Amino acid sequence: MVKVYIEKDNKNIELEFNGKIIDLAKSLNVNIETVICVLNESVVNENTNIKNSDNIQFLSVISGG
Amino acid sequence: MKCKKCNNGVLINDLCNDHFIEYFENIVKKTIKEYNLIEKDDKIIVATSGGKDSITILYLLNKFYNNVEALCIDEGIKGYRSKTLLTLKQFCKEYNIKLNVYSYKKEFGHSLDYFMDLISKYNKIKKLNIKPCTICGIFRRYMINKYSTGFDKSATGHNLDDESQAILMNLLKNQIPILARFGPLTGISNENLFVPRIKPLYFLSEKEILTYSYLKKFDLFYTECPYVPQAFRAEVRDNLNEISKSKTNEIKLNIVNNFLEISKKLKSKYKDTIQINYCTICNIATNKKICNKCELIEKINMVKKECKL
Ligand SMILES: [Zn+2]
Ligand SMILES: [Zn+2]
């Protein structure tokens, strides 16, 4: 299982996923332009592959200055 | 994918962690140089909210220059400002930056929460079109101007997203004279009435700034202001992000670069149309008879009176 946190919706999800973060974002309807991807505590590129047992956070870049 | 400058893996914009940090800081330096934003010995005040943009610009200006102080306006937003203020205090202590805090309460007698409460009560009787962002736009701006006096430059964390959104909004609303004031250095001419306002993060996106602050491990308060932003801005922002999908900054950079291309002409065209008066109530420079701040205070006093408060 991959653990996903979407900050914008303050939502935690667990799902089966194998592939790139960018595709995970697409399937969850997260616009990659509006988030940074944090994989197991480090910020990573959206083309990074993730595997089961990974922990991924989509942190929203939109906020007041 | 490999970094275009070394063999490490790519983080963002075809660059690895270290090269991204180098790129980011170089863009800020380049913007300052190209637009002549800062002289070596300038006294700089950075208007900060404790969010990623203003923390980042505070950090960088303090790193590059000697005379940097922070300014925070405490609007009095429960559960939000108290936390960001704490973050900011810790940050300034860590980097040895003088922090100046001024509150709405001291300046205007009440907090933003109080004003919004008052206005929403009044709205039930008569519609008074004052939004929280309108109040902040006027009161914050006034206080930032007031407490920047004595400094050579007043810096804010406005970024590529803020600016491209603002340009589009003003175009869509047919407000070219307002647009003429925009740019990394705000204002139409060197009116010498206000401390010049500078935006060194002008060419960097929110995504790049959040990545930078994350890599720098800034202890940020990652929450938005609880007041709902202007609906129109949110709409422009979301649409722009939708169009920008998978094109990184290209579209947003095109908007600001095209604007900067014509902005010189705009500035000279509107230079003479700006009439500077002095507010008949408080005597500060304004382009109207009564300044925005005094006008808003009058409206609020009227509401207070009618609500018998
Ligand atoms: Zn590199
Ligand atoms: Zn006035």
Side-chain angles (χ1 to χ4, degrees):
Chain A
M1 288 298 232
V2 178
K3 280 189 184 156
V4 187
Y5 172 65
I6 306 172
E7 191 194 30
K8 167 174 70 84
D9 310 322
N10 193 20
K11 201 162 79 180
N12 283 294
I13 311 168
E14 280 191 38
L15 54 101
E16 292 286 341
F17 185 85
N18 261 305
K20 288 180 176 181
I21 293 176
I22 191 166
D23 296 318
L24 174 68
K26 262 182 210 154
S27 72
L28 295 170
N29 220 351
V30 171
N31 182 346
I32 212 80
E33 280 307 300
T34 66
V35 290
I36 64 167
C37 317
V38 176
L39 177 64
N40 310 326
E41 315 269 286
S42 339
V43 49
V44 294
N45 184 280
E46 54 254 29
N47 287 307
T48 307
N49 274 304
I50 44 175
K51 54 185 185 316
N52 277 329
S53 85
D54 273 340
N55 201 324
I56 174 110
Q57 293 172 280
F58 292 113
L59 298 184
S60 177
V61 304
I62 297 163
S63 72
Chain B
M1 257 209 324
K2 291 256 185 287
C3 167
K4 63 183 175 192
K5 292 200 156 181
C6 73
N7 266 330
N8 290 332
V10 162
L11 173 65
I12 179 172
N13 303 357
D14 298 329
L15 295 167
C16 66
N17 293 16
D18 292 349
H19 282 116
F20 169 72
I21 287 181
E22 183 189 82
Y23 147 89
F24 188 97
E25 296 185 0
N26 280 340
I27 297 257
V28 174
K29 285 181 193 158
K30 198 176 148 212
T31 307
I32 293 173
K33 206 173 160 199
E34 223 171 282
Y35 291 87
N36 242 325
L37 300 186
I38 301 171
E39 307 285 332
K40 201 174 139 267
D41 296 318
D42 275 355
K43 272 187 80 183
I44 306 162
I45 185 110
V46 182
T48 49
S49 66
K52 66 180 193 311
D53 305 309
S54 53
I55 286 279
T56 299
I57 195 55
L58 180 60
Y59 167 82
L60 285 173
L61 293 182
N62 186 57
K63 182 177 170 184
F64 300 152
Y65 300 94
N66 298 319
N67 282 314
V68 176
E69 290 183 23
L71 168 65
C72 181
I73 308 296
D74 178 1
E75 308 91 349
I77 304 174
K78 219 174 165 193
Y80 167 73
R81 181 53 74 210
S82 44
K83 285 181 197 158
T84 52
L85 204 52
L86 205 68
T87 310
L88 192 57
K89 276 181 184 157
Q90 276 160 0
F91 183 88
C92 287
K93 200 174 161 196
E94 188 180 342
Y95 291 96
N96 208 8
I97 301 167
K98 188 180 172 208
L99 172 64
N100 307 274
V101 183
Y102 299 97
S103 70
Y104 275 24
K105 191 146 198 218
K106 235 177 166 174
E107 194 79 32
F108 305 110
H110 299 284
S111 65
L112 179 66
D113 287 343
Y114 172 89
F115 290 134
M116 285 324 296
D117 196 45
L118 187 70
I119 285 160
S120 69
K121 273 179 195 150
Y122 185 77
N123 271 351
K124 283 183 190 146
I125 313 164
K126 269 184 227 165
K127 199 90 195 137
L128 185 73
N129 205 15
I130 302 179
K131 306 244 164 64
C133 294
T134 317
I135 298 190
C136 275
I138 295 170
F139 281 176
R140 264 181 68 89
R141 186 75 266 154
Y142 165 76
M143 288 176 74
I144 290 172
N145 279 336
K146 180 172 172 184
Y147 295 108
S148 300
T149 313
F151 289 85
D152 298 301
K153 301 286 158 57
S154 152
T156 58
H158 286 95
N159 58 47
L160 180 62
D161 290 78
D162 298 324
E163 295 304 299
S164 51
Q165 286 158 23
I167 292 167
L168 276 185
M169 282 167 68
N170 282 296
L171 278 176
L172 296 172
K173 283 184 154 182
N174 198 20
Q175 293 173 329
I176 300 292
I178 293 178
L179 193 56
R181 304 187 61 82
F182 281 65
L185 179 70
T186 313
I188 289 196
S189 58
N190 289 333
E191 295 140 357
N192 279 334
L193 294 167
F194 300 108
V195 176
R197 275 137 62 177
I198 59 171
K199 300 171 182 171
L201 298 179
Y202 198 86
F203 295 101
L204 290 158
S205 69
E206 298 210 90
K207 185 166 173 158
E208 289 171 320
I209 296 167
L210 187 59
T211 305
Y212 182 85
S213 12
Y214 207 91
L215 289 175
K216 284 281 172 186
K217 300 192 164 52
F218 293 150
D219 182 20
L220 291 180
F221 185 71
Y222 287 99
T223 305
E224 286 185 65
C225 172
Y227 286 111
V228 184
Q230 248 178 310
F232 187 56
R233 177 177 279 274
E235 208 181 332
V236 168
R237 176 191 72 200
D238 294 345
N239 276 301
L240 189 52
N241 278 330
E242 197 57 39
I243 305 169
S244 294
K245 237 182 206 175
S246 75
K247 296 199 180 74
T248 326
N249 290 349
E250 194 189 326
I251 300 247
K252 293 165 189 168
L253 281 170
N254 285 347
I255 295 173
V256 300
N257 283 327
N258 280 301
F259 161 71
L260 289 170
E261 191 74 33
I262 55 170
S263 94
K264 269 197 185 130
K265 280 196 173 161
L266 279 182
K267 280 185 200 294
S268 71
K269 179 173 177 196
Y270 287 100
K271 204 173 168 174
D272 302 325
T273 64
I274 300 277
Q275 256 201 325
I276 296 294
N277 295 317
Y278 290 89
C279 173
T280 50
I281 298 173
C282 73
N283 207 32
I284 64 164
T286 171
N287 54 357
K288 306 192 297 186
K289 249 183 101 163
I290 294 171
C291 76
N292 289 332
K293 181 253 315 174
C294 289
E295 201 180 88
L296 183 57
I297 289 176
E298 284 197 332
K299 270 190 201 163
I300 288 170
N301 285 338
M302 185 266 294
V303 173
K304 270 184 175 172
K305 218 170 142 186
E306 288 202 21
C307 291
K308 296 194 176 66
L309 286 163

Coordinates of all heavy atoms in Angstrom, one line a residue, chain B residues 3-8 15-19, ligand 1:
Chain B
C3 N 20.7 15.7 -13.6 CA 20.8 17.2 -13.5 C 21.6 17.7 -14.7 O 22.6 17.1 -15.1 CB 21.6 17.5 -12.2 SG 22.1 19.2 -12.1
K4 N 21.2 18.8 -15.2 CA 21.9 19.3 -16.4 C 23.3 19.9 -16.1 O 24.0 20.2 -17.0 CB 21.0 20.3 -17.2 CG 20.7 21.6 -16.5 CD 19.7 22.4 -17.4 CE 19.3 23.6 -16.7 NZ 18.2 24.3 -17.4
K5 N 23.6 20.0 -14.8 CA 24.9 20.5 -14.4 C 25.8 19.5 -13.8 O 27.0 19.8 -13.6 CB 24.7 21.7 -13.5 CG 24.1 22.9 -14.2 CD 24.4 24.2 -13.4 CE 24.3 25.4 -14.3 NZ 24.6 26.6 -13.5
C6 N 25.3 18.4 -13.4 CA 26.1 17.4 -12.7 C 25.5 16.0 -12.9 O 24.5 15.9 -13.6 CB 26.4 17.7 -11.3 SG 25.0 17.4 -10.2
N7 N 26.0 15.0 -12.2 CA 25.5 13.7 -12.4 C 24.4 13.2 -11.4 O 23.9 12.1 -11.5 CB 26.7 12.7 -12.3 CG 27.2 12.4 -13.7 OD1 26.5 12.4 -14.6 ND2 28.5 12.1 -13.7
N8 N 24.0 14.2 -10.5 CA 23.0 13.8 -9.5 C 21.6 13.7 -10.2 O 21.4 14.2 -11.3 CB 23.0 14.9 -8.4 CG 24.2 14.7 -7.5 OD1 24.8 13.7 -7.4 ND2 24.6 15.9 -7.0
L15 N 17.3 20.2 -12.6 CA 18.4 20.5 -11.7 C 18.3 19.6 -10.4 O 17.2 19.2 -10.0 CB 18.5 21.9 -11.3 CG 18.7 23.0 -12.4 CD1 18.4 24.4 -11.9 CD2 20.1 22.9 -12.9
C16 N 19.5 19.3 -9.9 CA 19.6 18.5 -8.6 C 19.3 19.5 -7.4 O 19.3 20.7 -7.7 CB 20.9 17.8 -8.5 SG 22.3 19.0 -8.3
N17 N 19.3 19.0 -6.2 CA 19.1 19.8 -5.0 C 20.0 21.1 -5.0 O 19.6 22.2 -4.9 CB 19.3 19.1 -3.7 CG 18.3 18.0 -3.5 OD1 17.5 17.6 -4.5 ND2 18.2 17.5 -2.3
D18 N 21.3 20.8 -5.0 CA 22.3 21.8 -4.9 C 22.3 22.8 -6.0 O 22.4 24.0 -5.8 CB 23.7 21.2 -4.8 CG 23.9 20.5 -3.5 OD1 23.0 20.6 -2.6 OD2 24.9 19.8 -3.3
H19 N 22.1 22.3 -7.2 CA 22.1 23.2 -8.4 C 20.8 24.0 -8.5 O 20.8 25.1 -9.0 CB 22.4 22.5 -9.7 CG 23.9 22.2 -9.8 ND1 24.4 21.0 -9.9 CD2 24.9 23.1 -9.9 CE1 25.7 21.0 -10.0 NE2 26.1 22.3 -10.0
Ligands
ZN1 ZN 23.5 19.2 -10.1

